[in-house]
Amino acid sequence: MKIIRWLDANIEKVICVTLLALMSIIIVVQVFFRYVLQNSLQWSEEIARYMFIWLIYIGIPYGVKLDKHIAVDAVYSFLPKKVKPIYALIGYVIFFVFAIIVVYYGVLVTANIAGSGQISNGAHVPMQFVYVAPVVGMTLTIIRLVQRFVIMGKLIKSGEGMDE
């Protein structure tokens, strides 16, 4: 149970920090090779780009977990404290539907790419590993949104409202 709690608390953070660190190292190595050794690495820019894609899609559920996504605060700030959770819940439901749509179509696209056997030019990475990033990210987002629904349900049920 401790492992599951640790994963719930840290999985996105660990993945994002690792991807950012590796991406930075690869870019620094590429700059060194290009400007000091006068010889460019063929694969480095492509791998860094793919890591950035993964970083973005893993960052989305982390933002949901922390409840730090951008929102239209103009309307939100004028709402009564008890109505704010309902307003936020509507936004989460829309986000939830969007995430389900992205996962559905992402699976179709990834399966199509995997079936074609397409690989990247420089790094020779199978492209389904790149195209599955939205599927993984939005699946984690769905899990985080369900957690957010539970929190919002408790707030609405208690009638406490939100301070933010």
Side-chain angles (χ1 to χ4, degrees):
M1 208 53 160
K2 284 184 177 182
I3 294 171
I4 292 173
R5 281 193 199 112
W6 186 89
L7 286 173
D8 181 51
N10 298 303
I11 189 70
E12 294 99 341
K13 187 179 358 179
V14 168
I15 293 171
C16 285
V17 167
T18 303
L19 285 171
L20 185 61
L22 289 172
M23 189 175 69
S24 299
I25 291 167
I26 288 171
I27 292 169
V28 167
V29 168
Q30 168 65 1
V31 169
F32 176 78
F33 267 74
R34 182 176 288 165
Y35 294 107
V36 176
L37 301 179
Q38 301 295 318
N39 188 7
S40 225
L41 298 172
Q42 292 179 348
W43 54 269
S44 62
E45 291 175 38
E46 205 170 77
I47 293 295
R49 185 179 325 120
Y50 298 155
M51 286 180 166
F52 186 64
I53 291 167
W54 272 90
L55 180 67
I56 290 167
Y57 281 106
I58 299 299
I60 294 170
Y62 188 57
V64 171
K65 177 184 175 229
L66 298 178
D67 197 23
K68 296 293 181 187
H69 279 289
I70 56 174
V72 180
D73 287 340
V75 173
Y76 190 76
S77 61
F78 292 111
L79 292 173
K81 188 176 179 184
K82 290 187 179 191
V83 179
K84 287 181 180 182
I86 296 168
Y87 179 77
L89 187 62
I90 292 169
Y92 285 126
V93 168
I94 293 168
F95 195 6
F96 185 78
V97 170
F98 173 75
I100 289 172
I101 292 168
V102 170
V103 168
Y104 174 76
Y105 285 107
V107 167
L108 295 178
V109 169
T110 303
N112 190 21
I113 295 293
S116 74
Q118 183 179 356
I119 61 170
S120 67
N121 289 334
H124 303 292
V125 174
M127 289 304 290
Q128 65 260 27
F129 293 122
V130 179
Y131 280 88
V132 79
V135 176
V136 173
M138 287 300 170
T139 300
L140 287 171
T141 300
I142 290 168
I143 293 167
R144 293 299 185 188
L145 285 169
V146 169
Q147 291 173 335
R148 194 54 48 196
F149 289 148
V150 171
I151 292 167
M152 299 302 289
K154 288 177 183 176
L155 281 174
I156 292 169
K157 190 174 184 179
S158 71
E160 290 178 17
M162 296 174 68
D163 293 329
E164 299 175 7

